[in-house]
Amino acid sequence: MTTGLLVDASAFPAVELTSNCDWTPYLDAIKTMPFVSGARSSRVGTVDNPVTITMRFARRDPLDYGGLLGANFRQALYWRCEAFADDDLTKRLFDSRPASGLDRRVVPQLMREKLLPWGADNGFRGDLPKRHVRLFPPGIHCPLACRPKVLRWTLYGPAFNPDRTAASHYDIGFAPVGLAVPIIRATGSTADYQPGDEVTRVAGGGLSVDPGTGRRLARIDLRLMPETQRNDIAVLVASVNNDLPVVWVPDKARPEVNALWGFVGRLSGSTSHRWGQPAHTDTTISVEEWPE
Amino acid sequence: MTMVRLYTMQAWHVASKTVHTLRYATKPGYRSWPGDTPASEVFLPLVLRPAEVSVSIAEPGEARGQTRVDLGRLVMDNAFDRQFNSRPLNPLLTDYVVAGWPIIEQVVRRDQPLSTAVTTFRGVMEMPEPERGSLTIPVRGRELDFDRALLTETYPGTGGLGGPSDLTDKTKERIIGHVAVIEPTYLGVIGGLNTYSLNGGHPIDDVLWFRDRAAQLTRVAGTPAMDQWSVDLSTAILRVGGDRPEAPTCEVRGDKTGGVYRRHAGAVLAWIASDLTGLRTAEDIDLASVAVLDAAPRTVGLWCPAGQSPTARDALDRIAGSLWGGYWLEGALGIFRVGRLPAVGGTVKANYRKGAGTDPLKPRSDSRRSLPASKVTWRYARNYAVSQTLAAQAADAAATRAKAEWLEVATDEDDDVVAAYRAAARHEVIESVLIDPADAAAEAALAAVDLATPHRTFELRPWDRAPGLDLTDEIAVTDDIAGFEAGGRLVIIGRSINDRSGKATLIGRT
């Protein structure tokens, strides 16, 4: 059963952000939405000299998630997220590297070997074809489950400009950390896509379509929730309302699913819990993408 | 790929007394690239609705060449942001002054650098109108800059060359171009001679004659005696010997500031916009259009008597309106441009077809102006000092001129128009600031040709937003209404820059 996460990204805990390179306008810009007002680095990272972002929290609060979203990372970029219990970075609590010990890529393998197309540009790594990557804003979703004092991101690899040419800077739009509610989607949940185009139908059968910004919409159906989960949802919904950001992570165990289906958004509409059973409720949460 | 509209505003920061640049965009916002100028600047996505702006020229013969820019309103998002616990545009309202400051709108593709952005509009902002969750900033074209007095120098009223006390704080007179008959400003007796000022102390080209009650006085070079006059061209001070003239008039070739005697319509329009009022610099003026207008030069004359300064806009309108189809406009990009509205029959810049590129043509309600004229009378060489009491020794020609306010030249009656329209055919009379009978006859002939056929105006909504089409361009439209079945031509006399409907609106004239 796939367990997803609905992350409360509404408030950044008290934190000091430092980095080993310069950021424009300032690194703290990654603590808030929208993406366009995020931070831009002065250089890209290399294997010998990666770009690191260190978040030093004031208190050791529990965190379920860390992410770097709205970024301009290419699929081939490597990242690593480490969480430490102390300021001296000696007691490591969490490392994003899998058992192989290698750093993860931004867009991991999505296709199974048997289905890899021969000759296509994604035929070797099995990630997304180049022309499809631009459809999904790149982001790194890293589910944690610890109480870190320091969280450190390490990045090295290529990045792109908006027209997909090579860039010599990293853009990070939003880098939330926070607690999350574990979500097991029930049958009937949907993952929708709204193109956002302006369609004008003209008398006589003509159609004029003005392209807009597409946004994804996840309708999460939850069934037979026990009281603890119901309480967690109630707290999340009340703290973000419809205006503060949440991050939808569909499967915390499979990064390739999150690369394609995860996004930062806002709750849309109201949330109602329906009792069908004496002690369990059903509810539907709608999350609408915030693509700016 | 979405197009984003970028708004760059200059605003006055009250506390530090400096000019700041504020940058906003429509959703989803934009960020310039590190290689752009300015580098890595964020255009916050706070614009809800771009300003709807439209520019139009009046039809020839109507409103004397005046252009119109309709106010647009820029609606911005001022919703409370709980991430920052504030409304993002509150500082704009409390710490800045935007009224009267410039705004530039550009359009850019979201995935392209800022260097590819195209400027669509340069305007001026007015006082913002805040609501709780939004903010509306009215934006106007720069034409309205010209709604200020043309002349600002005044007489101190201290006597002598400073003018008598009844001229205190009245604007000094000015003559631009060649005027036929005017009354000079009396300054009093200075150095024993009656002294008149013609051009507020600025140099003029020449005074052709000076008469008192239509009786000519003699011009001399030195000190004038009885019935004589002399003029200092560098200060435009005219002295008359003998008693004070009762009804002085003169014909003057006017302003020669900087050694250049300006009298052709295009040159005068450009000079009024730039050096005389100081409102525009040389970069803001389309000098090529001035050269095109002056290729067939027309001498104009404008007299502003002491104490009566027109607005700059009024002066520009009168001069542009003295040419058939003449216009001046600032346009969307704020570049001052002059010209004549062309008749249909030039090169077609775009083709539209109803239902396959544009909405159907919509006729605009036509005024009386659509009836053709069988005869055009062009009035020129205005006499600003008409007098019926004349001296006995006045020459006949001078006497006739003194009694008539206008000289007129008329075209012959157009028999075809009279035969077709009979009593409905109009007789058009245009009052102009021209001075030369040949110029007036040429303009009347142009007007007669244009007015012999009725013109209609239509509204057109092309789906491609009419890129690259500006006022005075010609387009061809195929529709099934009268006159357009096989493709009719329209000259664009108005267009919207941003249309809330997503299309552009063009106003065309057949």
Side-chain angles (χ1 to χ4, degrees):
Chain A
M1 194 140 33
T2 57
T3 307
L5 292 177
L6 190 60
V7 181
D8 180 348
S10 59
F12 225 89
V15 69
E16 184 204 326
L17 294 175
T18 50
S19 171
N20 65 344
C21 79
D22 292 322
W23 294 80
T24 314
Y26 41 80
L27 191 53
D28 282 6
I30 63 176
K31 295 194 323 196
T32 52
M33 283 296 275
F35 289 153
V36 77
S37 60
R40 178 169 284 178
S41 71
S42 52
R43 63 177 179 89
V44 293
T46 57
V47 175
D48 307 310
N49 188 11
V51 169
T52 60
I53 300 171
T54 309
M55 301 181 175
R56 288 197 156 79
F57 298 103
R59 286 166 34 95
R60 281 187 66 192
D61 282 324
L63 287 180
D64 291 331
Y65 171 88
L68 293 179
L69 308 172
N72 68 336
F73 306 144
R74 287 212 192 269
Q75 301 188 76
L77 183 139
Y78 285 102
W79 63 274
R80 180 167 72 242
C81 177
E82 296 159 292
F84 300 92
D86 63 330
D87 280 321
D88 302 322
L89 308 180
T90 52
K91 299 192 207 108
R92 194 200 308 261
L93 297 171
F94 169 84
D95 190 329
S96 65
R97 285 176 284 194
S100 61
L102 298 171
D103 291 323
R104 291 184 186 271
R105 296 224 187 224
V106 165
V107 180
Q109 189 170 1
L110 299 177
M111 305 192 67
R112 285 169 288 172
E113 297 81 30
K114 292 199 182 95
L115 301 174
L116 286 178
W118 179 252
D121 56 46
N122 63 332
F124 182 62
R125 282 208 305 268
D127 49 17
L128 283 172
K130 280 196 190 140
R131 71 185 183 286
H132 292 160
V133 178
R134 72 186 71 191
L135 303 173
F136 302 99
I140 297 168
H141 299 279
C142 186
L144 321 159
C146 56
R147 287 194 309 129
K149 188 73 173 58
V150 175
L151 197 70
R152 184 174 69 187
W153 293 93
T154 308
L155 302 165
Y156 53 98
F160 61 86
N161 283 318
D163 66 351
R164 311 308 292 203
T165 53
S168 53
H169 61 267
Y170 291 143
D171 277 331
I172 297 179
F174 184 42
V177 295
L179 291 168
V181 173
I183 302 273
I184 297 174
R185 279 184 286 186
T187 318
S189 303
T190 61
D192 301 320
Y193 178 74
Q194 292 167 337
D197 299 340
E198 209 176 305
V199 180
T200 314
R201 288 178 190 277
V202 186
L207 203 64
S208 165
V209 184
D210 214 357
T213 316
R215 63 183 74 225
R216 289 172 279 185
L217 189 71
R219 252 198 47 236
I220 302 162
D221 271 353
L222 300 165
R223 301 274 165 76
L224 302 177
M225 284 192 296
E227 189 175 339
T228 47
Q229 195 179 8
R230 184 164 68 244
N231 293 345
D232 291 341
I233 299 237
V235 166
L236 170 80
V237 165
S239 76
V240 303
N241 276 358
N242 285 355
D243 63 320
L244 289 176
V246 295
V247 184
W248 168 233
V249 179
D251 189 338
K252 67 180 187 186
R254 288 171 60 198
E256 64 270 20
V257 173
N258 300 333
L260 209 52
W261 298 99
F263 57 85
V264 64
R266 290 180 268 213
L267 296 184
S268 90
S270 55
T271 307
S272 55
H273 304 277
R274 296 177 296 282
W275 267 264
Q277 296 268 337
H280 301 285
T281 47
D282 300 343
T283 190
T284 306
I285 305 173
S286 289
V287 185
E288 190 180 346
E289 189 181 5
W290 189 343
E292 277 107 42
Chain B
M1 176 49 61
T2 30
M3 306 294 287
V4 185
R5 287 190 192 275
L6 307 175
Y7 291 89
T8 308
M9 301 176 186
Q10 306 272 309
W12 177 255
H13 189 236
V14 178
S16 65
K17 292 196 174 38
T18 49
V19 181
H20 288 188
T21 307
L22 305 172
R23 298 190 172 87
Y24 303 105
T26 49
K27 312 266 181 190
Y30 183 78
R31 187 162 193 185
S32 65
W33 293 24
D36 278 326
T37 315
S40 297
E41 276 292 339
V42 177
F43 289 74
L44 289 171
L46 291 177
V47 175
L48 288 177
R49 276 210 299 273
E52 259 192 31
V53 184
S54 62
V55 190
S56 61
I57 318 176
E59 295 192 57
E62 191 162 350
R64 297 186 305 175
Q66 195 175 60
T67 60
R68 224 179 74 178
V69 177
D70 280 327
L71 220 66
R73 305 174 77 75
L74 186 68
V75 182
M76 302 185 69
D77 181 8
N78 200 15
F80 191 85
D81 192 334
R82 282 201 290 157
Q83 294 177 107
F84 303 100
N85 265 328
S86 64
R87 295 184 186 273
L89 292 176
N90 282 359
L92 182 71
L93 290 167
T94 52
D95 302 340
Y96 288 91
V97 173
V98 296
W101 288 87
I103 181 170
I104 297 178
E105 188 204 67
Q106 294 168 295
V107 178
V108 71
R109 245 178 75 131
R110 194 161 174 227
D111 61 349
Q112 296 298 322
L114 188 61
S115 50
T116 64
V118 174
T119 305
T120 53
F121 180 76
R122 273 179 18 193
V124 177
M125 298 181 279
E126 310 228 309
M127 283 294 286
E129 295 157 19
E131 309 263 330
R132 279 197 69 85
S134 66
L135 173 66
T136 302
I137 302 183
V139 178
R140 61 166 172 83
R142 305 208 304 162
E143 269 88 356
L144 299 181
D145 287 350
F146 292 108
D147 276 340
R148 62 162 71 186
L150 180 69
L151 306 165
T152 48
E153 295 168 345
T154 54
Y155 280 112
T158 46
L161 286 176
S165 54
D166 59 321
L167 282 183
T168 312
D169 289 337
K170 292 215 158 61
T171 52
K172 291 188 179 174
E173 71 290 331
R174 202 73 186 251
I175 299 173
I176 301 169
H178 186 169
V179 289
V181 185
I182 58 127
E183 185 184 331
T185 313
Y186 185 62
L187 293 182
V189 177
I190 300 171
L193 296 167
N194 290 299
T195 310
Y196 292 89
S197 173
L198 292 167
N199 200 24
H202 297 275
I204 54 172
D205 189 58
D206 202 9
V207 179
L208 297 177
W209 47 256
F210 183 90
R211 295 173 189 155
D212 176 22
R213 290 191 303 157
Q216 189 110 338
L217 274 66
T218 325
R219 183 178 187 170
V220 296
T223 312
M226 175 107 160
D227 282 345
Q228 289 177 340
W229 62 277
S230 79
V231 65
D232 178 359
L233 292 177
S234 62
T235 56
I237 299 292
L238 190 147
R239 288 183 185 19
V240 182
D243 296 329
R244 178 180 169 179
E246 285 175 34
T249 52
C250 52
E251 179 173 355
V252 182
R253 290 215 294 261
D255 198 280
K256 203 173 177 179
T257 312
V260 178
Y261 165 46
R262 281 170 207 87
R263 72 250 190 232
H264 291 148
V268 170
L269 287 168
W271 183 66
I272 289 176
S274 60
D275 293 326
L276 183 56
T277 52
L279 287 170
R280 298 284 177 265
T281 57
E283 299 94 56
D284 288 335
I285 299 189
D286 182 0
L287 293 168
S289 68
V290 171
V292 167
L293 187 65
D294 282 346
R298 301 277 183 252
T299 307
V300 296
L302 200 65
W303 179 57
C304 310
Q308 289 176 40
S309 164
T311 58
R313 178 192 266 266
D314 198 38
L316 293 169
D317 286 344
R318 274 196 264 165
I319 294 169
S322 299
L323 278 56
W324 183 251
Y327 68 86
W328 65 274
L329 68 96
E330 281 274 291
L333 295 180
I335 306 288
F336 186 86
R337 178 176 128 203
V338 299
R340 278 181 199 268
L341 193 69
V344 159
T347 37
V348 168
K349 281 236 176 129
N351 279 288
Y352 291 106
R353 176 180 284 275
K354 176 198 95 161
T358 167
D359 282 355
L361 279 175
K362 193 175 132 203
R364 282 161 75 95
S365 59
D366 282 319
S367 61
R368 193 192 145 260
R369 292 249 156 231
S370 65
L371 283 172
S374 58
K375 185 170 165 156
V376 176
T377 300
W378 207 270
R379 290 187 174 157
Y380 65 100
R382 184 172 180 191
N383 177 348
Y384 290 94
V386 174
S387 164
Q388 301 296 331
T389 42
L390 306 170
Q393 66 270 38
D396 286 335
T400 324
R401 183 71 257 236
K403 290 192 222 168
E405 189 185 359
W406 294 98
L407 295 179
E408 288 183 1
V409 65
T411 57
D412 293 330
E413 194 91 18
D414 187 332
D415 295 324
D416 293 333
V417 174
V418 172
Y421 290 89
R422 301 200 295 171
R426 295 185 287 136
H427 177 188
E428 184 83 11
V429 178
I430 304 274
E431 292 174 352
S432 75
V433 296
L434 296 178
I435 192 84
D436 186 34
D439 290 345
E443 293 296 330
L446 284 175
V449 166
D450 194 45
L451 290 175
T453 48
H455 296 275
R456 291 167 296 159
T457 45
F458 293 89
E459 236 177 59
L460 183 67
R461 306 264 295 273
W463 300 345
D464 62 358
R465 294 214 187 98
L469 284 180
D470 200 359
L471 301 173
T472 73
D473 286 340
E474 189 169 329
I475 56 173
V477 184
T478 309
D479 195 329
D480 51 24
I481 58 174
F484 291 89
E485 296 94 331
R489 308 274 200 93
L490 290 174
V491 171
I492 298 174
I493 59 169
R495 69 159 297 163
S496 63
I497 310 293
N498 291 325
D499 217 280
R500 202 147 289 164
S501 65
K503 304 188 187 126
T505 303
L506 298 178
I507 300 171
R509 176 179 189 261
T510 55

